[in-house]
Amino acid sequence: MTAASTRPRVLVLGGGFAGVGAAQKLKDADADVVLVDRHDYHTFQPLLYQLATGLLETTGVGHSLRDLLARHENTIIHKARVTSVDLDARTVGFEGLAPISYDYLVFALGAEVNFFGTAGAAEHAYPMYTLPHAVRLKNHLLERWESADRDPELVADGALNVVVVGGGPTGVETAGAIAELYRGNFAKDYRDVVEADARVTLVEAGSELFPMFKPKLREYTAKALAERTVEVRTGTAVASVSPTRVTLASGEELRAHTLVWGAGLQGSPLVQSLGLELQRGNRIGVGPELTLAGHPEVYVVGDIAAITDTKSGGPLPQLGSVALQSGEHAGETIARMIAGKTTKPFTYRDKGTMATIGRGAAVVQMLGGRTMTGLKAQLAWGTVHLALLPTNEDRAKAVVDWAGAAMTHQRVGRITVDGE
Ligand SMILES: Cc1cc2nc3c(=O)[nH]c(=O)nc-3n(C[C@H](O)[C@H](O)[C@H](O)COP(=O)(O)OP(=O)(O)OC[C@H]3O[C@@H](n4cnc5c(N)ncnc54)[C@H](O)[C@@H]3O)c2cc1C
């Protein structure tokens, strides 16, 4: 790509499933593609909980964007934070990088944590949406156990207790994984600490966990969590958080030095500056082609977009497969337009709804209503999620990583790298 290029420029903002999906489909387009992300890596969010609990290391969850797109000769990558978007001038501003103008824009900045104004959450909670979040949680859990090892009295103060907020997939899988880390590994790692006194509590404001699943899958989930010693509290909201206490809306105070937040998402604050009418969760509404009304050159894809499902008429969920497919659609459509070919509206191919709970425990509900649980469901989860990885090399590496972790259950990542 040269500065004097006369080819159309496609600017992709965000290197998540949606942004990378778009860039993949633009590989052979007669265009200059520029992808910008605040990180130099793509985050595989569905496995953040495995990083937080030491099963995978950072490179098992974060993949170099430059590596992923190394074979795309028409593509360059910048690591920079997007600070402004001028839709009329077709220009995007960045922190520390000169503004970039575009002919086509793929807006794929994803979502960020929503604490719903819960007092103390922004300061003291441990959200689970980014790689730094997962590393921070892992380090904090290790630090609390090391402290309790030195001073066992801390256990009674709740140093090892964890409250996880959110009865959706993020909360359930994180609670399950932390309980397995505690009972399976820390129980042996810290022999002087009474591990049974360390409690993992899952709090959900709604009346049940996993409302999107059939009752029998919800029952399976409750049983699998109980087997892992996760205490479930439904119909209870968290009112406030301090470094050592979690207060519920009922006034009850839980002793816990860790509150993991897996309860809600909102579009990045940047979308509020665009002067658009936003939908629930600050998501940007798009038409059937995934473009912005009045801006056919702007594609909005992934978690940041409110995409209508052509089959149900409702909004599509914020899922990896929705993000990947919508991003791919944007990339493919732009490539076809540049080549003077016809385009078609977006349709989502539903691969089923699924979630993991722990080792060998997962639930799957297919579109036709068929369900699976246990190891079979976990394998189905693995197959669908492998497809989210961008290259065959990544898939091969993931199979080795996941199989190794599943077979040995060794949590080699449970070390703290700090100090000198
Ligand atoms: C813990 C967790 C578990 C999940 N589990 C599953 C699962 O099992 N199955 C499933 O299908 N889905 C799962 N999801 C949802 C799925 O990961 C998301 O739907 C998907 O990642 C959305 O992709 P995206 O590309 O829209 O956004 P993201 O993946 O969030 O990517 C957005 C990118 O934009 C970048 N960015 C954001 N703001 C800026 C800025 N201002 N400047 C520059 N760059 C910026 C970010 O660094 C990021 O790389 C899970 C999500 C979480 C958090």
Side-chain angles (χ1 to χ4, degrees), residues 13-20 36-39 41-49 65 80-83 94 108-112 128-130 169-171 173-174 265 268 270 301-305 317-324 326 348 354-356 381 384-385 388:
L13 302 181
F17 291 121
V20 168
V36 188
D37 197 290
R38 64 186 166 187
H39 300 128
Y41 54 82
H42 161 83
T43 305
F44 198 89
Q45 286 181 349
L47 291 179
L48 283 174
Y49 76 95
L65 283 167
R81 184 179 290 275
V82 180
T83 51
F94 304 92
L109 292 178
E112 62 177 46
M128 271 289 283
Y129 295 104
T130 66
T170 301
E173 71 192 7
T174 307
L265 291 175
S268 114
L270 197 72
V301 286
D303 275 4
I304 206 166
Q318 285 163 301
L319 281 179
S321 42
V322 175
L324 180 67
S326 60
Y348 176 58
M354 51 197 72
T356 52
W381 185 97
V384 166
H385 287 78
L388 293 177

Side-chain angles (χ1 to χ4, degrees), residues 39-119:
H39 300 128
D40 57 3
Y41 54 82
H42 161 83
T43 305
F44 198 89
Q45 286 181 349
L47 291 179
L48 283 174
Y49 76 95
Q50 295 206 2
L51 173 60
T53 55
L55 261 180
L56 289 178
E57 298 187 67
T58 44
T59 51
V61 182
H63 301 249
S64 156
L65 283 167
R66 294 181 196 285
D67 210 25
L68 286 180
L69 300 171
R71 296 202 188 103
H72 291 223
E73 283 176 12
N74 63 351
T75 305
I76 58 164
I77 293 157
H78 293 299
K79 178 179 179 236
R81 184 179 290 275
V82 180
T83 51
S84 63
V85 179
D86 187 332
L87 294 172
D88 294 325
R90 298 189 182 188
T91 304
V92 175
F94 304 92
E95 204 174 271
L97 172 72
I100 300 178
S101 58
Y102 59 83
D103 298 291
Y104 296 94
L105 181 71
V106 179
F107 200 75
L109 292 178
E112 62 177 46
V113 59
N114 187 351
F115 292 117
F116 301 108
T118 306

Side-chain angles (χ1 to χ4, degrees), residues 278-285 303-307 315-318:
L278 299 176
Q279 302 199 11
R280 196 163 166 255
N282 276 347
R283 289 159 84 182
I284 302 173
D303 275 4
I304 206 166
I307 304 172
L316 284 171
Q318 285 163 301

Side-chain angles (χ1 to χ4, degrees), residues 206-373:
S207 57
E208 50 199 344
L209 306 179
F210 281 175
M212 68 292 240
F213 287 111
K214 288 184 172 189
K216 67 174 179 186
L217 296 185
R218 296 204 291 265
E219 280 160 30
Y220 172 89
T221 303
K223 198 163 155 262
L225 285 172
E227 280 166 8
R228 286 163 179 75
T229 70
V230 175
E231 299 167 38
V232 176
R233 309 276 297 259
T234 52
T236 311
V238 168
S240 67
V241 193
S242 78
T244 56
R245 297 288 181 268
V246 175
T247 308
L248 303 179
S250 61
E252 186 185 349
E253 194 179 73
L254 306 178
R255 291 173 184 215
H257 291 201
T258 311
L259 177 105
V260 181
W261 195 272
L265 291 175
Q266 59 183 340
S268 114
L270 197 72
V271 300
Q272 284 163 5
S273 66
L274 297 177
L276 303 169
E277 204 177 305
L278 299 176
Q279 302 199 11
R280 196 163 166 255
N282 276 347
R283 289 159 84 182
I284 302 173
V286 289
E289 294 276 3
L290 307 184
T291 52
L292 207 53
H295 288 279
E297 75 286 2
V298 179
Y299 290 75
V300 185
V301 286
D303 275 4
I304 206 166
I307 304 172
T308 305
D309 184 2
T310 45
K311 293 190 189 92
S312 70
L316 284 171
Q318 285 163 301
L319 281 179
S321 42
V322 175
L324 180 67
Q325 289 181 34
S326 60
E328 286 179 344
H329 177 85
E332 209 170 332
T333 307
I334 294 168
R336 290 183 70 83
M337 285 171 71
I338 290 170
K341 294 182 181 163
T342 53
T343 61
K344 51 182 193 296
F346 174 66
T347 45
Y348 176 58
R349 295 177 304 284
D350 193 335
K351 305 256 175 81
T353 309
M354 51 197 72
T356 52
I357 303 150
R359 193 184 189 192
V363 288
V364 172
Q365 187 170 299
M366 304 305 288
L367 194 56
R370 211 179 125 219
T371 60
M372 279 183 251
T373 55

